[in-house]
Amino acid sequence: MEESSDLYDMHETNGSPPWDDHDHRCLEELDNVECLRRKIKFFFMNPCEKYHARGRKPWKLLLQIIKIAIITIQLVSFGLSNQMVVRFKEENLMTFKHLFLKDYVNGGMDMNAVYRQADVYDHIDYVLEQYGHLYNITVGNHEYEKNGTFYNPLTVCQEFYRNGTIYPGNETFEIDAQVKTDCFNVYPMDHPSLREALPNFKLHFKRMLSVKITFVLKAINLQTVRHRELPDCYDFTVVITFDNRAHSGRMTVDLESDVEINECRDWKVTGASARNIYLTVLFDCFIIITCIGSFALCARSVVNGIHLQFEYTLYSRNQVPWSDKLEFLNGWYILIIVSDTLTISGSILKMEIQTKVLTSYDVCSILLGTGTMFVWIGVIRYMGYFRKYNILILTLRAAFPNVIRFICCAGIIYLSYCFCGWVVLGPYHEKFRTLNTVSECLFSLINGDDMYPTFNHMKQKSSLVWIFSRVYLYSFVSLFIYMVLSLFITIITDTYDTIKQQQSGTPTSELQKFLSGCNDLPNSGMYRLDENKGFLNCCVSRCRERLTSEA
């Protein structure tokens, strides 16, 4: 009784009974929940709503619009320059084939093969003769590679089995599987034929695997001068291969060239100004600065989303499903961050290419092309703020997990057909010679393309394989076109219907139910930053109380 009276006296002295403190804590708790609800709702607003709510200008939206324009201009400019490089490589390859391959005709498969021993020697002599008179016969600006003041020689290499005796008539042979390679240097300017250069050189046709002729030619790509760009110097490593690995009596002849792009050592261009190059470099610098700003803003939004997710998880006592947690992690921002990273890297590499420090055109084109693709895909995020476009985006996002599972299952069946077609039909059909061509052929069949040629080009040398090919192709087409694709479309359609019903119905997730308790409009003024109310810190006290109570 004394303790009770003392407690009563204490509350009476303070002037507030215990139930008043309880009511005060309840009101404070309710106010903290409303603040958290407004913070999360503000986070999911679109740029226009955020502008009405707080007067915040949509800097990220403006940066994305500017970035799309300037990055597209940069990509088009670099694409035109890269096309000149690729065209120069392809045309030089075609030139080398016409110069060094005897009786070469575009697209003629039989013309790139020899069948007699004398023809092999004639073709090698033809290569040496053409190489020796290159300066007088070529219409391009090709030159020999030099080592100081001396020209580098041409290399002739023969690969063959070390020892072997082969008697097909007696059906007997003895072979040493170890491969031996003999290489010789030839100076065609002094000795225009193989017999003159190497009198003791002999081709071992019975044991021979291949003969390779290798030399290096130099050229300068002058077509870039018209576009106010400095030309590059090219080193073409040309390899002519006489392939006899099949030992079938048909030796194929092929020419390949490996290209190395270098900065020219000494150059002078008159009648043109280098101002265009400096303007291009300044434009690339402006793109890098813009992408850095976009990267910083999107990274800040991602960090704010993670902080809100922690606060919401703390409020819900760690009982938040993963689907609601992932709502705070905006995938569009991550896509833009990746795009900015690729564009910054590609722009730096492009600047080095423009100033002739590096010549990695392929790497730069991949970085800039992928970055531009992601930038344009990121535009879909802002189209999603319109209701009619948003349902499409929500459908794609909701159907993505089911689509991935479906593709995994269908991919197993697809791979089984690939391996089966490669093993059985590969020797009889050119589209099934490698796993890569098999996959491309079957993918074309799924899309209804190239069906008749695939059926028609099957060689009828084996009746059993021909019948199997019909069963194989008809079953694949029927299974994937009539069943697999139909099921794939059904998954998308069902997801679309589900999303459409959810938009017209009540909130389904716990996060949506939590946010539905906030009916404040963006222009109501409840989202304004108030120093007294402390909108950004309205949940700090609640978090502290929760941590104190748990401790």
Side-chain angles (χ1 to χ4, degrees), residues 254-470:
D254 188 26
L255 184 147
E256 296 179 351
S257 65
D258 187 16
V259 184
E260 182 180 355
I261 306 176
N262 301 312
E263 180 185 1
C264 295
R265 297 179 182 178
D266 189 14
W267 53 269
K268 181 179 180 181
V269 180
T270 58
S273 175
R275 181 181 179 184
N276 187 35
I277 299 175
Y278 299 136
L279 291 178
T280 304
V281 173
L282 289 176
F283 183 69
D284 293 334
C285 293
F286 175 70
I287 291 177
I288 293 175
I289 295 174
T290 304
C291 291
I292 292 175
S294 174
F295 182 94
L297 292 177
C298 292
R300 187 191 66 175
S301 298
V302 171
V303 173
N304 291 338
I306 294 175
H307 287 168
L308 280 178
Q309 186 259 325
F310 285 152
E311 291 186 21
Y312 178 69
T313 303
L314 187 62
Y315 163 76
S316 302
R317 299 180 182 273
N318 297 323
Q319 297 178 355
V320 180
W322 275 104
S323 58
D324 287 349
K325 290 183 178 180
L326 293 178
E327 290 290 336
F328 292 92
L329 188 62
N330 196 320
W332 297 111
Y333 290 148
I334 297 178
L335 182 67
I336 294 174
I337 290 174
V338 174
S339 171
D340 292 333
T341 304
L342 294 175
T343 304
I344 292 172
S345 303
S347 299
I348 294 175
L349 189 58
K350 180 176 178 292
M351 293 169 59
E352 295 181 346
I353 292 175
Q354 291 286 341
T355 55
K356 304 306 175 184
V357 177
L358 294 176
T359 56
S360 304
Y361 283 90
D362 293 336
V363 177
C364 184
S365 61
I366 292 174
L367 292 175
L368 292 180
T370 308
T372 306
M373 180 182 67
F374 287 163
V375 167
W376 280 94
I377 293 176
V379 178
I380 301 178
R381 171 180 180 266
Y382 298 100
M383 296 180 65
Y385 295 135
F386 301 96
R387 185 176 183 83
K388 292 184 178 180
Y389 296 102
N390 188 39
I391 190 172
L392 173 62
I393 300 172
L394 293 177
T395 301
L396 294 176
R397 186 176 65 177
F400 183 76
N402 293 329
V403 168
I404 294 299
R405 299 187 192 100
F406 180 80
I407 290 177
C408 292
C409 296
I412 296 175
I413 304 175
Y414 184 81
L415 288 176
S416 65
Y417 270 89
C418 287
F419 286 112
C420 179
W422 173 58
V423 171
V424 180
L425 305 182
Y428 303 94
H429 202 299
E430 61 181 6
K431 295 183 179 181
F432 291 83
R433 293 291 167 82
T434 63
L435 285 174
N436 186 34
T437 56
V438 172
S439 178
E440 293 172 356
C441 177
L442 295 182
F443 190 78
S444 299
L445 291 177
I446 293 177
N447 293 276
D449 185 25
D450 210 21
M451 280 196 177
Y452 179 74
T454 304
F455 280 90
N456 189 39
H457 290 172
M458 182 65 196
K459 299 177 181 178
Q460 300 185 11
K461 294 183 178 181
S462 175
S463 300
L464 180 61
V465 176
W466 186 85
I467 295 174
F468 178 85
S469 68
R470 265 44 194 170

Side-chain angles (χ1 to χ4, degrees), residues 61-110:
L61 176 60
L62 296 176
L63 270 180
Q64 298 309 312
I65 295 174
I66 297 173
K67 196 172 68 172
I68 287 175
I70 60 179
I71 287 180
T72 304
I73 295 174
Q74 180 195 45
L75 184 71
V76 172
S77 175
F78 181 77
L80 295 176
S81 177
N82 193 30
Q83 284 182 4
M84 291 189 293
V85 174
V86 175
R87 180 184 176 186
F88 188 73
K89 294 179 183 179
E90 293 177 348
E91 291 186 356
N92 273 274
L93 178 61
M94 187 60 62
T95 299
F96 297 149
K97 289 183 178 180
H98 281 277
L99 287 177
F100 300 109
L101 297 183
K102 187 177 181 180
D103 301 327
Y104 176 78
V105 177
N106 292 338
M109 295 298 296
D110 292 337

